Amino acid sequence: MSLAGGVCPVAVMRSRFSREFYLTILAVLVVGAIGLAVLSVLGRPPSDLLYIPRPARLTPEIELLREYIRIDTSNPPGNELAGAEFLARELREAGIEAEIIESAPGRANLHARIPGRRRGEGLLLLHHIDVVPAGPEGWTVPPFAADVKRNMVWGRGALDMKSIGIAHLVAFTELARSGRVPERDLVLLATADEEAGGHLGMGWLIRNRPDVIEGVRYAITEGGITETIANRINYFGIEVGSMLSITLTARSDRREELEHLRIDLEPWFHVSRPERFLPGVLEYFESVAAHRTEMPELIADVPAAVDKGLFWKLHAKYRDLTGTSVAAGSIRQAAGGGFEMIVVIRHLPDEEPARPLAWFHRRFAREGVELEVRSTMEPAPFSSTSTPFFEEIERAVTATYGEVAVGPIVMRDITTDSRYLRSRGLDSYGFWPFPVDFFQTLGIHGHDERIRLDWFMEGVEMTRRLVEAWCLPPAPSGAP
């Protein structure tokens, strides 16, 4: 049957449905926009839309963290002395005398040691006192107020890394108060200047006070990643190494010269063809692949992906762990006239900086551009995952968080004080004892840095457990 000269009833229904559907979608978008605007006015981060906070319970450990955050150790200028004095006071109350070591006026490091029965297997608890600067703009609460809101403590250093420092301090003082002689040395070290490269902190101590790490075999510090999905840890990543970097300043009287240099550098912003596969990198790929949804089969066997011509499909964060790449900042006017641009060369951690430097000059040197080397890094081999202490970390993680996958992480763009220790033969592990979700990580070096109180306390407990397992001898058989 046909309806000549008429309109199909189905078409009318579709037309009405389409109008109603799009009006509904428009209404949802408008309401959503209003809701986000209201939340913005209230100062609540978008991640909190997914978070139902538990009631806050302020423990002595949390109060210590709040007090530490309130000490402004922004670098520059640093002023770590105030933070070191705070730590020294807490140590004295536990009966421990700590040494404050100034590498320059006001640039302080703190060192304390509990001697053990055996030498050469000591554990170093390492954190840095300084934090990156935090202006008041963009923060929900003042950055050094350490306010507690929604079961979280907010402030610069809440994650990077005064929370880890307090976990170390608590584990250290509790071991001292126990009165038991540890089996192995336990060393607490809080350093200056890490956020600016560690030259007045760990770098200075290694050169001028190597005794602070004498007898140390292992270290834990920042750098780990606890990948958290729906409030559960998916992968507990222990940082075992990172790409190293060389920082250059390129200068020219003409802006165009630097623009041309930047264009020449662009093909090298990411690795397009691997140079070498370090065993530690391959171990990381294989370990993390099972916890990736994007091309896990390629990540699990990157050499095979290269053989199949599929290396290009991998994310740059994996490709860049296999060779030399560069990064270039924006072009700006130089203080003394002309123009300048910061260039960073990332290279494999077992290389002396002379090789990538020579490669860069050979490929990119040009008339009219002056290249000044601002900083280089010594070779820093990967820390091994086949050590008794790494096994102890795995046991502490599973005892705290259940059957969680524990494995290595290799960093592309981030370096820590671990590199100074690795260059001296120590196994140093980036160990973040707390669950931290993606949204909270955005606060690191950004606005609204914060840590959940319940997660912080879980991390404090795990750090206690790890230190006790490594340092304290087992109780004698038959002891009460």
Side-chain angles (χ1 to χ4, degrees), residues 263-324:
I263 291 170
D264 289 347
L265 292 174
E266 284 180 359
W268 296 93
F269 281 0
H270 298 292
V271 174
S272 59
R273 188 173 302 159
E275 296 174 16
R276 288 185 292 128
F277 293 111
L278 297 181
V281 169
L282 292 178
E283 182 184 7
Y284 162 53
F285 288 160
E286 184 178 354
S287 180
V288 81
H291 307 280
R292 297 292 177 264
T293 57
E294 184 181 357
M295 294 179 288
E297 69 286 350
L298 295 185
I299 299 171
D301 193 348
V302 176
V306 174
D307 293 340
K308 296 174 184 177
L310 300 176
F311 181 72
W312 64 272
K313 296 185 71 173
L314 290 168
H315 193 284
K317 66 183 178 183
Y318 301 118
R319 289 187 280 117
D320 289 351
L321 300 178
T322 67
T324 305

Side-chain angles (χ1 to χ4, degrees), residues 81 85 99-110 200 204-205:
L81 181 58
E85 290 173 341
E99 180 185 11
I100 294 178
I101 307 167
E102 289 189 74
S103 54
R107 308 307 302 273
N109 306 273
L110 176 135
L200 293 175
W204 187 92
L205 291 168

Side-chain angles (χ1 to χ4, degrees), residues 34 65 71 85-86 117 140 149 152 170 172 192 197 210 222 237 343 366 374 437 477:
I34 293 172
L65 174 59
I71 302 170
E85 290 173 341
F86 158 77
R117 301 176 192 274
T140 300
K149 294 180 59 176
M152 293 181 281
V170 169
F172 191 88
E222 64 180 338
V343 178
R366 60 175 64 226
R374 298 180 58 177
D437 70 25
S477 178

Side-chain angles (χ1 to χ4, degrees), residues 158-161 163-164 220-226 233 236-239 397 401 411 429-437 440-441 444 449-451 459 462-463:
L159 288 173
D160 184 16
M161 63 173 295
S163 52
I164 296 178
I220 53 174
T221 186
E222 64 180 338
I225 295 177
T226 51
I233 297 176
F236 200 105
I238 308 296
E239 188 263 330
V397 171
Y401 299 113
M411 297 290 193
Y429 300 105
F431 176 69
W432 207 345
F434 327 106
V436 180
D437 70 25
Q440 289 165 11
T441 63
I444 300 173
E449 187 175 351
R450 61 200 185 276
I451 185 170
M462 183 166 67
T463 305

Side-chain angles (χ1 to χ4, degrees), residues 369-450:
V369 175
E370 174 194 350
L371 294 172
E372 177 192 355
V373 178
R374 298 180 58 177
S375 66
T376 63
M377 297 180 181
E378 295 181 72
F382 286 171
S383 298
S384 173
T385 60
S386 300
T387 65
F389 185 69
F390 193 89
E391 294 174 1
E392 206 64 71
I393 291 177
E394 292 177 307
R395 283 191 285 270
V397 171
T398 55
T400 306
Y401 299 113
E403 292 302 318
V404 175
V406 182
I409 289 284
V410 178
M411 297 290 193
R412 175 185 65 172
D413 300 312
I414 299 172
T415 56
T416 70
D417 278 344
S418 281
R419 72 182 188 275
Y420 292 109
L421 302 173
R422 291 172 183 147
S423 69
R424 267 62 181 179
L426 279 66
D427 283 308
S428 184
Y429 300 105
F431 176 69
W432 207 345
F434 327 106
V436 180
D437 70 25
F438 168 77
F439 298 103
Q440 289 165 11
T441 63
L442 299 179
I444 300 173
H445 291 202
H447 299 133
D448 284 342
E449 187 175 351
R450 61 200 185 276

Side-chain angles (χ1 to χ4, degrees), residues 9-272:
V10 175
V12 173
M13 292 174 63
R14 286 177 178 165
S15 176
R16 288 176 179 168
F17 173 79
S18 298
R19 286 196 299 271
E20 293 172 356
F21 176 76
Y22 288 119
L23 285 172
T24 301
I25 292 297
L26 179 60
V28 169
L29 291 174
V30 170
V31 171
I34 293 172
L36 288 175
V38 171
L39 289 173
S40 176
V41 171
L42 293 175
R44 183 177 299 173
S47 64
D48 286 357
L49 296 172
L50 310 175
Y51 169 52
I52 302 175
R54 299 180 181 181
R57 188 171 70 88
L58 301 183
T59 65
E61 295 88 348
I62 291 169
E63 293 296 358
L64 278 175
L65 174 59
R66 297 180 71 196
E67 187 174 354
Y68 200 11
I69 290 172
R70 290 186 186 116
I71 302 170
D72 184 351
T73 53
S74 299
N75 185 12
N79 190 32
E80 296 90 353
L81 181 58
E85 290 173 341
F86 158 77
L87 297 171
R89 182 200 72 198
E90 293 299 317
L91 291 168
R92 280 195 301 272
E93 291 181 2
I96 305 163
E97 283 303 319
E99 180 185 11
I100 294 178
I101 307 167
E102 289 189 74
S103 54
R107 308 307 302 273
N109 306 273
L110 176 135
H111 171 250
R113 181 184 295 258
I114 303 175
R117 301 176 192 274
R118 288 158 39 185
R119 311 298 294 174
E121 296 180 351
L123 172 62
L124 171 64
L125 308 178
L126 170 65
H127 83 278
H128 60 84
I129 303 172
D130 62 321
V131 298
V132 296
E137 297 81 12
W139 284 75
T140 300
V141 300
F144 297 102
D147 287 350
V148 172
K149 294 180 59 176
R150 297 175 59 77
N151 194 38
M152 293 181 281
V153 60
W154 302 60
R156 177 61 82 225
L159 288 173
D160 184 16
M161 63 173 295
K162 290 182 176 179
S163 52
I164 296 178
I166 293 300
H168 291 178
L169 176 69
V170 169
F172 191 88
T173 55
E174 289 198 1
L175 179 65
R177 287 189 173 106
S178 74
R180 299 169 63 185
V181 178
E183 188 70 17
R184 304 171 172 97
D185 284 8
L186 183 64
V187 179
L188 181 70
L189 191 59
T191 60
D193 199 40
E194 192 278 341
E195 296 292 4
H199 308 294
L200 293 175
M202 182 56 77
W204 187 92
L205 291 168
I206 289 291
R207 295 189 305 273
N208 298 280
R209 289 293 305 274
D211 57 292
V212 299
I213 61 168
E214 184 180 350
V216 170
R217 178 69 186 83
Y218 303 108
I220 53 174
T221 186
E222 64 180 338
I225 295 177
T226 51
E227 298 180 0
T228 305
I229 300 175
N231 287 342
R232 293 180 59 84
I233 297 176
N234 178 57
Y235 184 78
F236 200 105
I238 308 296
E239 188 263 330
V240 297
S242 65
M243 299 293 285
L244 301 184
S245 64
I246 301 165
T247 302
L248 308 171
T249 300
R251 295 190 179 91
S252 178
D253 293 333
R254 300 176 63 243
R255 183 185 185 91
E256 292 79 6
E257 292 288 350
L258 296 183
E259 289 174 345
H260 293 154
L261 173 61
R262 186 184 178 88
I263 291 170
D264 289 347
L265 292 174
E266 284 180 359
W268 296 93
F269 281 0
H270 298 292
V271 174
S272 59

